[in-house]
Amino acid sequence: MPLNFIQSSELPTRWGTFKLHGFFDDIEKKEHIVLTLGSVSAHKSVLVRIHSECLTGDSLFSLRCDCGSQLEQSMRLIAKEEAGVIVYLRQEGRGIGLLNKIKAYHLQDEGADTVEANEQLGFDPDARDYSVCESIFNHLGIVDVRLLTNNPKKVKALKDMGIIVSERLSIQTGQNPHNEAYLAVKAGKLGHLFDKD
């Protein structure tokens, strides 16, 4: 799925100054952004995080998930390495959108787990699509990545588009009493890979 590159700018953060790249998907009418640090095309295997938008976790500091904590940890690790990429995809709520995510949260408040809530609303447990990453990696000149993820679906998606995933790096952070059951469902029903400790 081709994307249109729009523009780049500097983005100073507490971890360093990243470069912010904007892309637009004409088919889905979605804006996606990418953060890069250092000369990523010069690296043999680039440290990459593919992060799906989570307004509640990334911006409102929700403890119901581990998303915001994963994003911060990714930026920290990339800054430490002085090179890397964060692909920030606009697919809130594992692809169901913000308002449906709030409906799903309501169902969870009443006892459903995160997978059951999505299904009760008529959605797949995980409706995210990573195909736009192909255009992004082509634009950045990236063919080999070390992927920060617990989700084997992301690894498979990249491999299917011809990207070499030389290593999958676990990213476990943000665990708390409010998301304990949520993380257990991600492991048990969605196949996410967590270290036992």
Side-chain angles (χ1 to χ4, degrees):
M1 180 184 300
L3 290 183
N4 293 316
F5 168 69
I6 305 302
Q7 192 52 273
S8 297
S9 68
E10 290 192 347
L11 184 71
T13 75
R14 72 184 80 163
W15 300 284
T17 299
F18 287 75
K19 188 169 252 190
L20 176 65
H21 311 266
F23 295 85
F24 186 73
D25 180 344
D26 280 326
I27 296 172
E28 296 294 329
K29 306 300 181 194
K30 286 186 177 180
E31 301 165 333
H32 301 287
I33 62 170
V34 175
L35 298 177
T36 61
L37 187 68
S39 180
V40 295
S41 61
H43 274 65
K44 181 178 183 298
S45 187
V46 184
L47 187 60
V48 171
R49 166 74 182 166
I50 298 173
H51 191 89
S52 295
E53 177 183 37
C54 177
L55 178 72
T56 51
D58 300 339
S59 301
L60 301 177
F61 318 109
S62 171
L63 297 177
R64 294 184 80 134
C65 64
D66 55 345
C67 304
S69 184
Q70 286 185 328
L71 180 59
E72 286 193 25
Q73 179 71 354
S74 299
M75 294 180 75
R76 190 178 298 114
L77 291 170
I78 287 169
K80 183 177 179 181
E81 190 155 310
E82 300 182 347
V85 176
I86 294 175
V87 179
Y88 195 89
L89 301 177
R90 305 294 301 277
Q91 42 188 6
E92 181 81 43
R94 293 201 305 274
I96 68 173
L98 181 59
L99 297 182
N100 283 320
K101 179 180 179 179
I102 295 170
K103 291 178 184 178
Y105 274 178
H106 175 74
L107 292 172
Q108 291 171 45
D109 291 341
E110 296 187 331
D113 67 36
T114 182
V115 166
E116 292 165 347
N118 277 25
E119 290 176 336
Q120 286 175 32
L121 292 171
F123 298 104
D124 289 336
D126 189 344
R128 290 176 293 181
D129 177 15
Y130 303 105
S131 59
V132 296
C133 293
E134 185 171 7
S135 291
I136 290 169
F137 289 143
N138 286 341
H139 178 83
L140 297 173
I142 293 172
V143 296
D144 187 324
V145 304
R146 288 174 294 129
L147 193 61
L148 286 162
T149 188
N150 304 320
N151 186 354
K153 184 178 176 182
K154 290 181 186 178
V155 176
K156 182 181 185 308
L158 294 195
K159 287 182 176 179
D160 286 349
M161 65 183 70
I163 301 295
I164 299 166
V165 181
S166 58
E167 187 177 8
R168 183 194 68 84
L169 300 167
S170 178
I171 180 161
Q172 290 182 218
T173 180
Q175 297 94 331
N176 68 77
H178 299 281
N179 66 21
E180 187 176 348
Y182 165 81
L183 294 176
V185 170
K186 282 174 78 171
K189 291 189 175 182
L190 297 174
H192 288 215
L193 306 170
F194 294 107
D195 296 334
K196 290 182 180 179
D197 57 354

